[in-house]
Amino acid sequence: QAKAAGRNTQRLFDPGMQASVTARAALEADLRRALAEGQFVLHYQALVDDDGTLTGAEALLRWQHPQRGLVPPGEFIALAEDTGLILPIGQWVLEAACAQLAEWARDPRLKHLKLAANVSARQFRHPEFVPGVLRALNTTGADPRRLKLEITESLLVEDVEDVISKMRQLRARGISFALDDFGTGYSSLSYLKQLPLDDVKIDQSFVRDVLTDPNDAAIARTIVALAGTLGLRVIAEGVETREHWEWLSRHGCHTHQGYYFGRPGPVVAMLESLPKRPAPMRRAHPSGPG
Ligand code: C2E
Ligand code: MG
Ligand code: MG
Ligand code: MG
């Protein structure tokens, strides 16, 4: 009889499914504990301009898990979005990023740096989003002109009016906006001209083979041309080699981010690694004899 019940159970609850439900529930409980116990950290990745000058950074969330070590966002952001935990986690990110900006503002060598924070669609859509951003700025004293928010095309599938209205409210305070992972979503190009954006980020999937794949090169050139027409600046993601950097600079990208300049890491690592980099554009076009 136990055997029959076991079979029955197996039919109703596929063991694989049961295992994944249990794993999700455990991960959710773990995420709640992470928030309560302060296990999240921000890592920073450099953004540099054409001549290799550090102009800012992107803040990338990591989970310092007591057993699993440093967990990347790909392993928990989706569940955080599903469960709504992205709301308090996202607010934590904004506050931590603003606190870092306020710290940089006290250092004359760093006070010009901009810091970009990623915002998930669910977080942006929440009515408390705009007040939450303003609160993060107010409690830390960070300069809103140094804060950039990275949004994605997934925001544009519904209620674009609301998105635009929130962007305008924040831009009125000096905050800037980048459209992240551009080219991978399903947004209509007509939205792009309506959105009050500052930058578009070419997704790394187009950058990876830009030197060898004519389709990727065409996409990258098209994004640069479109951005130029709309008055937006272009940031290339996933710049892994000097050849990437040179190609992208030559084709009109203003700002570059990727492993070539440094992997995401603690803020000190980012600040220390950069000044050592040579500037390829200057080397390619020496300013003269001597
Ligand atoms: P993203 O915003 O597009 O961030 C860029 C990702 O590319 C980062 O992955 C970064 O480590 C990686 N990357 C940077 N340079 C290179 C390179 O040269 N080559 C390659 N192959 N990859 C590079 P990461 O840190 O694992 O983050 C993944 C995604 O998680 C982010 O993509 C973003 O969508 C999301 N994310 C990160 N932090 C947050 C956050 O605070 N809030 C939310 N909502 N999402 C976040
Ligand atoms: Mg981003
Ligand atoms: Mg991106
Ligand atoms: Mg990306």
Side-chain angles (χ1 to χ4, degrees), residues 7 41 50 54 75 189 210 218 248 253 257:
R7 263 205 309 276
V41 291
D50 276 347
L54 178 68
E75 292 182 27
L189 288 181
V210 80
L248 291 156
C253 290
Q257 175 182 2

Side-chain angles (χ1 to χ4, degrees), residues 42 45 58-62 72-74 77 81 86 89-90 93 117-121 123 150 152 180-181 201 203-204 208 237-241 257-260 262-264:
L42 290 183
Q45 189 177 31
E58 177 173 4
L60 293 155
L61 183 61
R62 305 287 182 258
I77 289 284
E81 283 172 350
I86 195 64
I89 294 174
V93 168
N118 292 281
V119 173
S120 92
Q123 181 190 357
E150 297 196 359
T152 61
D180 206 352
D181 306 336
K201 298 187 80 169
D203 191 67
Q204 58 194 46
R208 189 178 310 120
E237 302 190 298
V239 179
E240 291 190 354
T241 64
Q257 175 182 2
Y259 294 167
Y260 178 62
R263 293 187 176 246

Side-chain angles (χ1 to χ4, degrees), residues 191-202:
Y191 288 146
L192 200 59
K193 72 167 189 201
Q194 294 179 45
L195 288 184
L197 286 166
D198 300 275
D199 312 324
V200 290
K201 298 187 80 169
I202 303 181

Side-chain angles (χ1 to χ4, degrees), residues 203-213 216 237-241 244:
D203 191 67
Q204 58 194 46
S205 61
F206 306 121
V207 170
R208 189 178 310 120
D209 299 323
V210 80
L211 289 136
T212 50
D213 184 334
D216 286 338
E237 302 190 298
V239 179
E240 291 190 354
T241 64
H244 280 149

